[in-house]
Amino acid sequence: MGIARTHDEDYETTEFKTLVALAAMERRKDNGEFKGLTSHSSIVDLQDKLVCVTSGASFFGFALVNRLLLHGYFVRVLVANQEDVEKLREMEISGEMMGCKSKISVVMAKSNEIQGLMEAFDGCCGVFHTSSFADPAGLSGYSKSMAEMEGKASENVMKACARTPSVKHCVLTSSLLACIWRDNTQYEFPPLVNHNCWSNESLCVDKKLWYALGKLKAEKVAWKIAEEMSLNLTTICPGLITGHEFSYRNPTATIAYLKGAQEMYANGLLATVDVRRLAEAHVSVFEAMKTTTAFGRYICFDRIIQCEDEAEKLADEIGIPRNKISGNSSDYVFPNCFELSNKKLANLMSRTLRSCYGES
């Protein structure tokens, strides 16, 4: 357990070459469809390399699918509706999906139907529950009712994982917000935040921090089910997920995460992580779970917003006024409240990257 702070190694050139090599998608001559998106039943039976990603059409879910493909996995993408299927197909046609022929399958299942989830997970050695929820109407943002839905969905996914014989490991995407919203009135200075920290549910409700509440409920129920049903679970708690056009492609989560941004910024707790590096962290943890090297919770981030310039840059990327993040704070560097006592996962990620890209 510990801090998953990703390193700053620049591997984009090598990554691009690898992605190009994997992007050999052929078009069927008869109907113009792509072969990458295959049916559930047509996937090759390779249980040690077949995994399922929930919410695979989401901003982070899609990045994780691509990252798993880079590591040689067969990926079953779980979506909730036909609209997500079409979204994935559009990504494939545009070249965003870096899948080799027959390595990706898509299956629809509802998060409130455990039996359907079990059927979707059947044959998979692992499940990545990315827990990506968005306002169905695209208007109201992340609401209190969505927080309840996220908690229930997490419970159902964990139960389905535990009841599916082939599933050996599960990785849940939680959030740093499940760690940092605590009552700090008894401290003279902001306390350190590590993997042992949990947000206070009552405080989240009082401040109407529904996104934090949803992630907190989802992770807590996941650990409860894992303990009761002997499920091998690891959770990753990322900061605000960023990346190319992240505010456009992931608007609900981005705006919801930043509820309370001024307070997070003032306390040195506003952290971000690039979507590609977060995806790599998930794969690294999953690989390490096979040898019991990874377990428990991990905080994952690669940047802390600590000064006015950084706040302004983030605000520009999102398209909001700077004071929505930094308020009227003066321009000084805030203390880093994250405890960096355990670099186990960062080292693990480095080893995995060298292996993946053929570095010495």
Side-chain angles (χ1 to χ4, degrees):
M1 294 181 288
I3 304 299
R5 175 159 185 166
T6 59
H7 55 80
D8 294 326
E9 180 180 359
D10 182 10
Y11 53 83
E12 292 185 2
T13 301
T14 309
E15 178 187 35
F16 176 75
K17 293 178 181 178
T18 309
L19 290 174
V20 170
L22 283 173
M25 299 182 213
E26 301 178 19
R27 184 182 296 271
R28 288 194 181 102
K29 294 181 180 180
D30 53 347
N31 58 10
E33 291 184 355
F34 279 74
K35 293 182 179 180
L37 295 180
T38 64
S39 66
H40 180 182
S41 59
S42 64
I43 213 56
V44 180
D45 184 17
L46 294 174
Q47 287 194 5
D48 61 332
K49 298 297 287 186
L50 175 60
V51 296
C52 185
V53 177
T54 69
S55 302
S58 67
F59 178 59
F60 171 64
F62 186 71
L64 178 56
V65 168
N66 274 337
R67 187 60 55 178
L68 286 163
L69 291 170
L70 279 172
H71 284 266
Y73 284 93
F74 288 75
V75 183
R76 184 176 296 165
V77 181
L78 180 64
V79 296
N81 50 55
Q82 186 62 35
E83 182 180 346
D84 285 342
V85 175
E86 294 304 320
K87 183 178 179 181
L88 285 169
R89 191 171 299 282
E90 289 174 4
M91 291 176 177
E92 185 183 33
I93 293 173
S94 68
E96 293 181 67
M97 181 175 289
M98 304 302 176
C100 294
K101 182 177 65 175
S102 299
K103 277 201 168 185
I104 307 170
S105 62
V106 179
V107 58
M108 282 192 289
K110 296 181 179 180
S111 61
N112 61 347
E113 297 177 358
I114 296 179
Q115 184 60 41
L117 291 170
M118 291 174 62
E119 292 174 1
F121 299 159
D122 185 39
C124 296
C125 66
V127 172
F128 293 84
H129 182 39
T130 66
S131 191
S132 299
F133 276 71
D135 174 27
L139 298 173
S140 62
Y142 195 101
S143 62
K144 184 178 182 180
S145 62
M146 289 175 65
E148 300 296 333
M149 290 169 54
E150 183 152 359
K152 186 60 179 178
S154 178
E155 179 181 355
N156 291 340
V157 169
M158 295 306 127
K159 287 181 177 179
C161 286
R163 294 175 184 175
T164 305
S166 65
V167 176
K168 307 302 180 185
H169 315 288
C170 180
V171 180
L172 168 71
T173 309
S174 180
S175 173
L176 180 59
L177 299 182
C179 308
I180 65 174
W181 287 107
R182 301 173 293 161
D183 183 3
N184 300 325
T185 55
Q186 68 271 35
Y187 300 100
E188 183 178 356
F189 298 104
L192 294 177
V193 175
N194 61 22
H195 57 274
N196 292 316
C197 297
W198 288 92
S199 292
N200 183 286
E201 186 169 328
S202 296
L203 183 65
C204 291
V205 173
D206 291 343
K207 291 179 175 288
K208 297 183 178 180
L209 302 168
W210 307 132
Y211 191 72
L213 180 65
K215 296 302 179 183
L216 180 62
K217 283 179 171 289
E219 188 180 359
K220 282 199 168 184
V221 74
W223 282 116
K224 180 176 181 293
I225 298 300
E227 182 176 354
E228 293 174 351
M229 304 184 71
S230 300
L231 174 65
N232 187 9
L233 174 68
T234 298
T235 62
I236 298 179
C237 303
L240 174 66
I241 302 174
T242 60
H244 180 61
E245 296 183 335
F246 71 93
S247 61
Y248 169 74
R249 302 175 67 178
N250 196 33
T252 299
T254 298
I255 298 303
Y257 189 103
L258 291 172
K259 181 72 179 294
Q262 293 181 6
E263 190 172 343
M264 287 189 281
Y265 174 76
N267 289 323
L269 295 173
L270 182 55
T272 67
V273 60
D274 182 81
V275 66
R276 294 172 301 173
R277 290 179 173 143
L278 177 59
E280 183 64 38
H282 278 65
V283 179
S284 297
V285 164
F286 182 74
E287 294 282 357
M289 290 175 74
K290 298 176 183 178
T291 59
T292 67
T293 307
F295 55 91
R297 306 173 81 207
Y298 290 90
I299 289 175
C300 186
F301 65 97
D302 56 18
R303 181 175 61 149
I304 302 173
I305 307 302
Q306 300 183 86
C307 64
E308 290 288 303
D309 287 345
E310 292 174 346
E312 184 173 4
K313 181 179 179 181
L314 179 61
D316 288 343
E317 291 174 343
I318 301 171
I320 62 175
R322 176 188 54 77
N323 62 7
K324 293 290 185 181
I325 294 176
S326 60
N328 297 318
S329 303
S330 57
D331 189 8
Y332 70 97
V333 177
F334 293 98
N336 179 3
C337 298
F338 294 102
E339 183 181 27
L340 299 177
S341 59
N342 190 333
K343 298 183 179 179
K344 176 173 58 179
L345 183 59
N347 294 332
L348 173 65
M349 288 179 63
S350 179
R351 290 197 299 273
T352 303
L353 283 170
R354 283 196 293 270
S355 174
C356 177
Y357 301 118
E359 298 173 9
S360 58

